[in-house]
Amino acid sequence: MININPSGILVRYNVKAEKELSPEEVARELYPEDVVIRPIVEAVFEGDEDDVINALEDAINAGRDPLSLIDDALMPGMSIVSELYDDGILFLPDVIISAHAMTDGIEYCKQKSNSTHEFKGKVVSFVVEGDMHDIGKKIVTVLLRANGYEVIDLGSDVLVSEVITAVKKEKPIMLSGTALMTTTMYSFKEINNLLLENNISIPFICGGGAVKQDFVFGYELGVYCEDAADAPKIADEILKGAGVEELRDKFHRH
């Protein structure tokens, strides 16, 4: 199970005991004691956009800085959701619902502030040319945003040239591509080669129903991502300095 120590850091303990409780009961033990922050964290966990905005408004009226509430309330609420998902207590739909509520809250806080929120890093995300199946990309995008990343979502059926242009313009820490159909995934190799031709060597995260690890490892920048939940974990490792080979080792699927 997990708890929050006085510094606000999530601490794990007794997963077996945790699974004997309902998700709501587990989360209730993890909510902060701060009477201003707690309703925001709870609303994020419940995935209720209206309650998130109302709780944020109350906190701002109580004198809290809008941008500080992103790191002090919205992100901790999402961290509880993510930890319970990792422990198998919550499921992907729960994460997506909470993430939408949290991102609505972030936008509200940004609107209420004259300052700019600092993201952990920037990621460009897309579905390959010729492929309109975007559910996987949407999940990756939601999870990355929920973990503090700015995502430039290019959409689906994206031309190779548009991907390269976006990477040059946005200068992301990584590129995330999705392909559902075998006939479309070969765009990944073309994108990889064009990145290298332009002296861009960022990790290129690839996944989707058609994509296999051996295929992704066949080009220099490719890192296979089988589970959408790994995307923010990969991004975190990149921020710590991990390169393509280290990422491949860490997220290798046997």
Side-chain angles (χ1 to χ4, degrees):
M1 193 172 180
I2 47 182
N3 204 344
I4 299 180
N5 67 20
S7 66
I9 298 174
L10 290 170
V11 180
R12 222 174 257 280
Y13 65 92
N14 198 345
V15 172
K16 181 179 179 181
E18 179 180 88
K19 291 191 175 183
E20 295 174 354
L21 302 174
S22 70
E24 291 74 18
E25 289 171 327
V26 175
R28 199 172 298 124
E29 295 182 19
L30 305 177
Y31 294 151
E33 295 182 2
D34 187 318
V35 295
V36 177
I37 297 297
R38 184 183 177 101
I40 304 171
V41 173
E42 185 171 357
V44 170
F45 179 82
E46 296 293 340
D48 192 314
E49 292 95 336
D50 292 338
D51 284 354
V52 168
I53 301 304
N54 290 337
L56 287 169
E57 184 177 12
D58 290 343
I60 293 169
N61 290 338
R64 301 297 176 96
D65 174 66
L67 287 187
S68 72
L69 292 172
I70 296 176
D71 293 325
D72 296 343
L74 294 171
M75 294 304 296
M78 198 65 215
S79 292
I80 293 173
V81 174
S82 296
E83 290 287 347
L84 267 60
Y85 171 73
D86 286 343
D87 282 343
I89 296 171
L90 293 178
F91 301 96
L92 192 56
D94 302 309
V95 177
I96 294 173
I97 291 169
S98 291
H100 280 309
M102 187 208 65
T103 51
D104 284 353
I106 289 176
E107 289 305 312
Y108 179 80
C109 289
K110 288 163 63 177
Q111 292 170 12
K112 292 293 182 178
S113 175
N114 294 322
S115 303
T116 303
H117 172 63
E118 292 295 327
F119 291 97
K120 290 164 68 174
K122 184 184 292 185
V123 177
V124 170
S125 179
F126 72 100
V127 180
V128 293
E129 183 177 352
D131 199 329
M132 299 298 295
H133 303 87
D134 66 350
I135 183 62
K137 185 264 302 173
K138 284 182 177 178
I139 294 171
V140 168
T141 299
V142 165
L143 294 177
L144 284 167
R145 287 174 174 163
N147 282 274
Y149 290 93
E150 179 183 6
V151 181
I152 308 302
D153 186 351
L154 302 182
S156 56
D157 189 19
V158 182
L159 297 174
V160 169
S161 59
E162 291 178 5
V163 175
I164 302 302
T165 298
V167 171
K168 288 181 178 179
K169 176 185 175 184
E170 303 294 344
K171 297 178 173 57
I173 63 167
M174 77 178 193
L175 176 63
S176 174
T178 305
L180 186 67
M181 301 184 296
T182 305
T183 53
T184 63
M185 69 182 186
Y186 294 95
S187 292
F188 287 157
K189 283 188 176 181
E190 186 178 354
I191 291 168
N192 173 87
N193 294 340
L194 285 172
L195 289 173
L196 293 174
E197 286 179 18
N198 284 274
N199 297 313
I200 300 170
S201 56
I202 59 172
F204 182 13
I205 314 305
C206 302
V211 184
K212 303 299 180 186
Q213 182 169 264
D214 289 346
F215 175 76
V216 175
F217 283 10
Y219 44 94
E220 189 171 333
L221 303 177
V223 178
Y224 180 60
C225 183
E226 182 178 54
D227 188 340
D230 283 342
K233 298 174 184 177
I234 292 172
D236 287 345
E237 291 298 320
I238 292 171
L239 290 183
K240 295 176 186 176
V244 171
E245 290 303 324
E246 293 171 273
L247 295 172
R248 287 180 173 182
D249 289 341
K250 188 173 183 68
F251 295 94
H252 178 74
R253 299 290 180 176
H254 298 284

